[in-house]
Amino acid sequence: MYAAFETDIPEILNPERIISRNAARSIVTRWVSAGVAHAEPVLAKQGRLVRLTSDGEQFVSTSDSAPAAPPGAPAAAVHHAMVARARLRLERNGVSGMAVRRWLSERQWRIENEPLIAAGGHVPDGIIYLENGRSCVLQVGHTSVEVARIRSMLEKLLESYMIVVVAIPGDVMKISNTAWEEAGISEPTADGDGVHVVIV
């Protein structure tokens, strides 16, 4: 995960034994003091946006090519934090009654699909592997503009993946709900194929 909201840190640290928000805030403050993380308020009610520094990146990755997210560029980091939140929700709740068994991050997907990227292929926010062996693609839209972009490419995504999971914050979903309905997206089939909209 490139970034996470402070409010999601308790679940990231231990989903089985959730610590308090105050305890999470103290932990993040210690990370910042130790120089392994940046933390800054960006969105209301989300706590600080937490990103690793270059030093912090060394603790969680063995890859020399894994870039730390720089301070001062919150738009991309907010998107990454929303992806992290979507991953938490999906790992906890599953997709269409199926548990999540494995997650392929955008970073790892890029490493494994360099020729496709060079040819202009679409980069997903993540690939989710389910307990029945099926996989699905995750797309996160944290703004109305992103939701519109996702809507415009759903048909193409469904050609490559039988299951597409779209994660949208509740407030953005309210704003874009009418346009989403107008896109003619039907409910997923009984076996889970189709588009699943998840509120994060």
Side-chain angles (χ1 to χ4, degrees):
M1 298 180 186
Y2 288 102
F5 290 114
E6 194 170 54
T7 51
D8 293 328
I9 296 292
E11 191 171 352
I12 291 170
L13 292 176
N14 189 347
E16 304 301 321
R17 191 174 176 194
I18 303 290
I19 61 173
S20 71
R21 286 190 176 189
N22 286 341
R25 193 175 302 120
S26 296
I27 289 170
V28 171
T29 299
R30 287 199 302 271
W31 291 345
V32 171
S33 297
V36 297
H38 303 287
E40 58 190 323
V42 176
L43 296 181
K45 300 179 183 175
Q46 300 300 330
R48 293 173 289 179
L49 180 66
V50 181
R51 295 178 279 172
L52 295 175
T53 63
S54 297
D55 289 342
E57 191 73 36
Q58 299 305 312
F59 286 109
V60 298
S61 177
T62 58
S63 170
D64 293 333
S65 63
V78 167
H79 183 85
H80 290 305
M82 286 293 179
V83 172
R85 175 173 290 169
R87 177 180 178 177
L88 288 171
R89 300 297 182 269
L90 293 167
E91 286 180 343
R92 183 178 63 211
N93 302 328
V95 176
S96 191
M98 293 172 281
V100 173
R101 289 292 175 239
R102 191 166 68 89
W103 169 269
L104 183 69
S105 68
E106 171 206 339
R107 182 188 305 187
Q108 188 61 38
W109 190 92
R110 285 178 180 275
I111 292 169
E112 295 178 9
N113 293 276
E114 287 181 10
L116 185 58
I117 295 170
H122 171 72
V123 178
D125 287 323
I127 303 294
I128 306 154
Y129 294 90
L130 304 174
E131 63 183 335
N132 64 356
R134 300 180 75 191
S135 64
C136 47
V137 64
L138 171 68
Q139 291 301 141
V140 175
H142 78 275
T143 66
S144 296
V145 172
E146 283 189 344
V147 171
R149 183 181 62 83
I150 293 168
R151 276 199 325 267
S152 70
M153 62 184 180
L154 278 176
E155 192 173 322
K156 190 159 190 167
L157 285 172
L158 287 166
E159 290 174 6
S160 301
Y161 302 92
M162 299 298 289
I163 304 172
V164 176
V165 178
V166 179
I168 306 171
D171 55 341
V172 174
M173 187 64 184
K174 287 176 190 172
I175 295 168
S176 59
N177 208 21
T178 304
W180 186 261
E181 290 168 2
E182 288 171 359
I185 307 303
S186 59
E187 291 291 316
T189 63
D191 60 359
D193 288 354
V195 179
H196 297 256
V197 178
V198 177
I199 305 298
V200 292

